[in-house]
Structure formats: structure tokens, C-alpha cells
Amino acid sequence: MQSVEPTATFCVRSAKASGRPRSSLSGHRHVVCGSASTHSCDTCRRRQLLTTVDANDLHRCFDDKIAGVRASTADAPPPYCVPAPYDCDLSAFRVVKTDDIVAIIRKLPNKQCATDPMPTHLLKDNVDLLAPFLTELYNRSLPSGVFPTLFKTAFITRLLKKPELDPSDGKSYRPTSNLSVLSKTLEWLVARQLIAHLNEWKLLPELQSAYRANHFTESAVLRVFSDILRALDRGEFAALALLDLSVAFDTVDRPTLIKRLEVSYGINGTALRWFSAYLQQRRQHVRCRRSNSTPTLLLCGVP
């Protein structure tokens, strides 16, 4: 029977031979999982551009979906937090260096949020002049456990889920959150230190592929494919169950998240206060072509 090693090797070798990046493995993933075509995506964009949807109505639709999911789980028992290993501790973030900020900004794509003070390409062109001021700003935020209020506002853009859906129905859209470049730069600096802490103490699940270096969708698919083929080689039956959590990030309970950071990951002190400040008093509004909804305060979820 066929083994998985030649299959995995073939996928990697094919991507390398094509001269494309490792993300080109997604072409082989689509054989297993399926994928919407580029033509369908273009059709979605054209249809939503030709349709007028009120920004406030769309905002209410997104909020109602989140409220519905939260209500359906309101009577669930509190989750159990596995204690972190003894001596596992992250109580304060290290100060960041100007060179780190310069390196991050120079790698940014030329995209920006409506709340950014300047286009990203101008920020990159003048990063040597601006980086010392950003270093001062970020190094005041991290040791004090305070997240800048101006960085807490996001605007939501709409994306039609499927081309056959009714573009005049708010339920046909998927919300996409947009944050300022300066806010995301600070997040990346914190994420580096957090991930280093998680890796040092081996706190990440062994099979987690999302949000990890050298892990991606393809590595998860190849692992599942490998397990299925190995089971078949042993003469066993194989079944695959897929679970999709609706608006998972938008419905995260913040007190539960803070408790898990403290109990299960050893984060406390100024670092924990920074995460708490990062999550609190966040606002968002929906942008629909040239109209904007009234900003609302977010009571749950993560950016």
C-alpha cells in the first residue's frame, strides 16, 4: 500500500521545483481539501461593490451573531486551567531596541489602516528617523503595563463569503478587522517575547500548527494525511471529524483568557497587566464603501 513519505516528499519537491515559496504547497492541499477559485473571489468583490449595504445595519448583524454565540454558551461551566510548571514565570517584558523596530517596519507590506497617520510606504522610507520615537513610545508601554488608547480602535471591512450569497443580506458577509500599523508593530514585539516564553517552557501543544514558526496549513494537512495513510497501511479504518468554531476569536471571554495566561502560562505582574490593558476598552466600527457605522465598545473577543 502507498506510504505517506513519498507523498510528503513529492509536495515539498514540487513546490521547490516550481520556484515558488513554501506557501505553494497549498496547491497540493487543495487536492485534498478543495478551495475557492480566484474567479470566485473576483466575483465576490464585484458583487459587493455593486451592492449598497448600510454600515450600521451590517455592524448590528455582526454584533448579533456574536451575542447569539455567547448566549448559547452562557450556562457552560467555567473551564479548568492546567497549572503552569513550577518556576514558569513571565512577569515583565524586556525593553525593545530601535534595531528591532526598524527590522520589523522594513518588512511590512505597503498596506495601512484608515487610522494610520501616514501611508506605510512613507513610514518605511523614513523609519531611521521615526524609529527612535517609536522605541520610546513602546518602552513606556511595556514596563508600565499600559496599552495606548489610540491603538485600541479597529474598523471592520466586509467580505462576501460565497459568490452565490445575497450581497444585500448582512449575514452573507465575513467581518475583517483592520488595526493600525503602529499597533500591530507593538503586538509583534510582544508576541516575540511571549512565544519565546512558551517555547522555553514547552507550553504549546505538540500538534498545533497555527501561529507558530515553521508551521502552516500544509504541515497540519500532511500530518492528518500521514495518520490516515498509516492507519490504512495497518488495515484499520480511518475517519476524519472536522470542527469549525463560528466567530471563535470574536467570542473569547476575556476574564477567562486572563486567568489562563496567569494560571496555565505563568504570566503575571506587569506583563499580565499589559495584556489586560490590551484587551480592555477596545472599540470598532464598520466601514462600508464611504459610510461608517457608529463605534461600539467591545465586551468580548480578541483583535
Side-chain angles (χ1 to χ4, degrees):
M1 299 184 71
Q2 181 185 9
S3 64
V4 71
E5 288 81 5
T7 304
T9 303
F10 168 76
C11 291
V12 176
R13 187 176 66 252
S14 299
K16 289 182 177 179
S18 68
R20 293 175 291 179
R22 300 180 80 173
S23 59
S24 299
L25 285 172
S26 59
H28 301 286
R29 169 173 55 86
H30 296 160
V31 175
V32 180
C33 300
S35 174
S37 66
T38 303
H39 174 73
S40 298
C41 295
D42 292 340
T43 302
C44 289
R45 295 189 187 98
R46 286 196 297 270
R47 292 190 67 191
Q48 71 180 41
L49 286 174
L50 294 173
T51 304
T52 301
V53 180
D54 182 74
N56 284 299
D57 290 342
L58 197 57
H59 196 158
R60 279 193 295 271
C61 183
F62 293 153
D63 286 349
D64 289 345
K65 182 175 182 179
I66 293 172
V69 173
R70 293 272 294 178
S72 67
T73 59
D75 58 349
Y80 171 71
C81 296
V82 178
Y86 181 73
D87 278 349
C88 175
D89 175 80
L90 176 60
S91 58
F93 294 117
R94 299 185 304 274
V95 296
V96 297
K97 299 178 180 179
T98 301
D99 290 344
D100 296 331
I101 296 174
V102 171
I104 289 177
I105 291 178
R106 283 180 173 161
K107 293 180 180 178
L108 292 173
N110 288 325
K111 298 187 296 183
Q112 56 274 329
C113 173
T115 58
D116 283 317
M118 67 173 67
T120 303
H121 71 88
L122 287 181
L123 175 63
K124 293 165 69 175
D125 291 342
N126 297 278
V127 65
D128 291 327
L129 295 174
L130 298 174
F133 297 97
L134 295 177
T135 305
E136 179 69 18
L137 172 64
Y138 296 159
N139 282 335
R140 292 195 179 196
S141 168
L142 298 178
S144 63
V146 175
F147 189 79
T149 303
L150 289 178
F151 291 174
K152 294 185 178 185
T153 299
F155 77 84
I156 308 300
T157 55
R158 54 181 178 144
L159 179 64
L160 194 62
K161 297 177 182 177
K162 297 179 181 179
E164 64 269 18
L165 295 178
D166 180 8
S168 63
D169 185 356
K171 295 180 181 179
S172 301
Y173 293 96
R174 178 182 296 109
T176 302
S177 180
N178 295 268
L179 296 167
S180 74
V181 169
L182 299 183
S183 172
K184 289 188 288 188
T185 302
L186 178 54
E187 292 175 14
W188 288 330
L189 291 167
V190 169
R192 282 183 176 181
Q193 298 189 39
L194 176 61
I195 292 174
H197 170 74
L198 298 178
N199 289 334
E200 178 185 357
W201 289 93
K202 296 180 172 58
L203 298 175
L204 291 175
E206 182 181 352
L207 297 181
Q208 176 179 323
S209 283
Y211 314 109
R212 298 179 70 182
N214 303 317
H215 291 72
F216 30 79
T217 307
E218 288 77 9
S219 61
V221 171
L222 288 175
R223 174 56 189 254
V224 172
F225 196 37
S226 169
D227 290 344
I228 292 175
L229 289 180
R230 291 181 188 279
L232 294 177
D233 284 344
R234 294 191 298 268
E236 301 173 351
F237 290 101
L240 176 63
L242 301 175
L243 176 63
D244 181 20
L245 300 178
S246 181
V247 291
F249 289 105
D250 294 326
T251 55
V252 169
D253 184 74
R254 291 170 178 171
T256 300
L257 176 58
I258 292 297
K259 181 180 178 181
R260 286 211 64 190
L261 289 174
E262 181 177 15
V263 176
S264 299
Y265 298 101
I267 300 173
N268 55 80
T270 304
L272 188 66
R273 290 201 302 272
W274 190 93
F275 280 113
S276 181
Y278 171 77
L279 293 171
Q280 301 304 319
Q281 299 299 312
R282 301 197 75 97
R283 297 179 179 274
Q284 70 178 21
H285 63 276
V286 173
R287 187 177 185 182
C288 232
R289 302 183 73 176
R290 295 184 178 179
S291 64
N292 292 316
S293 67
T294 304
T296 58
L297 183 67
L298 299 176
L299 302 178
C300 62
V302 294

